[in-house]
Amino acid sequence: MQMLIGGGTLLLLLVAMILFLKFAPYGKSGLEALSGAACATFLPQAFLSYVIGGIFNISLMQHIGETLGSLGGVAVGVLTCLKMKVSPVYAVIIGLVLYDFSLLPAFIGAYLISFLLKFIDKKVPEGLNLIVVILVAPAITYGIATLINPGITMMLQGISNAISTVGDSNPYLLAAILGILMPVTGMTPLSSMVVASFLGITGNPMAIGALTCMGASFVNGVLFKRLGIGDWPKSISVGIEPLTQIDQIVKYPLQLYSVNALVGIVNGCIVTFSGLIIDAKGVATPVAGPIVLFGFNSPMESVITIVAVAINSFVWGFVFSIIIKHFNLINIDFKSLFKGKSKSSSN
């Protein structure tokens, strides 16, 4: 029952984020702010605290990393307001108010208050608007975040518990689930880093998230090059960071998402078998994730697993590119499928 509830909650969360992206005002900008905040806090924490500070035992770097990792609420508050074209001064005020909150409640609070800030800036005379913002916005923002924080915490905890239950009972099933989820969300504005941070996964599941995202970069690089999706620089760019080529990816969703999901399952099982761990949150990213591995595992085990995932991804990417080209599947999309169905039904 716990797995069903947690899985259903995760599905609803992902659907809600997709709907937000599609229909909410400034939806794409909001999710970009969320992803940017994760990059600005979790990545520096992982590198400085666990890689440089941990491996070389430099306490200053560990302290700096932990400090950055604790400022997720501030980062997402500032970035969300800036993405929504709010005054930088207002953005900093809102970000500082959200110091004690995690990413999601802070994001919702900053997103909602941004509309009020824009209204105040438009309607209140210049010079008086800053005073009105100071008197009104911080309290409202803090109140919104405080009100929704318990519910969001309970929801994310339920998802995290469900993932732990699946991992305890069948680690390879969890590997398959994360092997699909992380690479695919990493190719959308939802961002695999944000999803990983929401789930709160660490240990072997986080290692799965990091290396399956890395594997997806190899798969996408091969598919872009072999299928002629963009030019050679685009193939390199998608291999470094899929989100840089999101405009190309959305043109071929069936081909790219399905191949990455299938290869991700295999890569997830490889990482599960290796037993590697990452005890840092939100590092499901192609380049930084594999590097952070070395802060928690022996160099030899890390290198062997990274090479195995890279080779597996490259080979399967090449094989699927042959299949797609041979059967001319590159031209299939959702619209053509639905047109085909409507024609057959009318006949």
Side-chain angles (χ1 to χ4, degrees):
M1 180 59 69
Q2 187 182 41
M3 286 189 289
L4 290 176
I5 295 174
T9 305
L10 174 59
L11 182 61
L12 288 175
L13 176 61
L14 294 176
V15 169
M17 293 181 72
I18 292 171
L19 293 175
F20 178 85
L21 171 67
K22 292 287 186 181
F23 301 109
Y26 299 96
K28 183 179 179 182
S29 297
L31 288 182
E32 287 175 351
L34 196 58
S35 177
C39 290
T41 54
F42 295 136
L43 275 185
Q45 180 184 22
F47 272 113
L48 299 178
S49 292
Y50 305 119
V51 179
I52 298 177
I55 293 176
F56 299 103
N57 195 26
I58 304 175
S59 59
L60 175 62
M61 289 298 186
Q62 289 177 323
H63 174 71
I64 293 173
E66 292 298 330
T67 301
L68 288 169
S70 68
L71 296 174
V74 176
V76 77
V78 172
L79 288 175
T80 301
C81 291
L82 291 177
K83 281 287 187 179
M84 295 183 66
K85 312 300 182 183
V86 170
S87 162
V89 176
Y90 301 167
V92 173
I93 292 172
I94 298 305
L96 294 175
V97 168
L98 295 168
Y99 170 81
D100 286 330
F101 296 95
S102 58
L103 280 181
L104 191 52
F107 167 70
I108 295 173
Y111 175 79
L112 293 177
I113 201 64
S114 293
F115 294 100
L116 177 60
L117 293 173
K118 291 163 72 74
F119 178 81
I120 292 173
D121 223 18
K122 183 178 180 181
K123 297 297 182 179
V124 178
E126 189 174 354
L128 185 60
N129 51 4
L130 178 58
I131 304 300
V132 174
V133 167
I134 292 172
L135 293 174
V136 174
I140 294 177
T141 305
Y142 190 86
I144 293 172
T146 302
L147 184 65
I148 63 177
N149 189 55
I152 291 176
T153 301
M154 186 180 300
M155 175 187 69
L156 297 179
Q157 188 61 50
I159 296 172
S160 180
N161 290 340
I163 290 175
S164 298
T165 301
V166 174
D168 293 339
S169 60
N170 192 334
Y172 287 96
L173 174 60
L174 178 60
I177 294 171
L178 294 177
I180 295 172
L181 181 63
M182 291 303 171
V184 172
T185 55
M187 297 161 61
T188 71
L190 299 181
S191 170
S192 53
M193 284 190 66
V194 170
V195 173
S197 64
F198 284 172
L199 299 180
I201 56 175
T202 55
N204 185 250
M206 188 67 263
I208 294 171
L211 288 185
T212 52
C213 287
M214 184 203 76
S217 289
F218 282 91
V219 172
N220 289 324
V222 172
L223 291 179
F224 266 56
K225 177 60 178 174
R226 294 271 302 160
L227 301 179
I229 303 175
D231 52 19
W232 177 242
K234 290 186 182 298
S235 300
I236 297 175
S237 296
V238 79
I240 297 172
E241 176 49 66
L243 290 181
T244 61
Q245 301 302 318
I246 191 69
D247 58 327
Q248 295 293 326
I249 290 173
V250 296
K251 295 178 182 178
Y252 308 97
L254 283 174
Q255 299 86 345
L256 296 176
Y257 291 153
S258 59
V259 172
N260 274 283
L262 293 172
V263 179
I265 292 173
V266 180
N267 284 336
C269 292
I270 291 174
V271 180
T272 295
F273 179 78
S274 73
L276 295 181
I277 63 169
I278 294 180
D279 282 333
K281 295 181 180 179
V283 290
T285 177
V287 177
I291 295 175
V292 174
L293 272 177
F294 292 92
F296 299 95
N297 308 275
S298 73
M300 184 60 67
E301 290 177 337
S302 299
V303 169
I304 290 173
T305 307
I306 289 171
V307 171
V309 169
I311 292 174
N312 179 69
S313 302
F314 183 86
V315 169
W316 280 113
F318 191 85
V319 169
F320 278 114
S321 72
I322 294 174
I323 295 172
I324 292 171
K325 291 177 70 174
H326 180 76
F327 293 100
N328 195 28
L329 300 178
I330 191 64
N331 296 317
I332 293 179
D333 56 23
F334 288 106
K335 292 181 179 179
S336 64
L337 287 175
F338 287 127
K339 284 180 182 179
K341 288 183 180 179
S342 61
K343 286 181 181 180
S344 62
S345 61
S346 61
N347 292 335

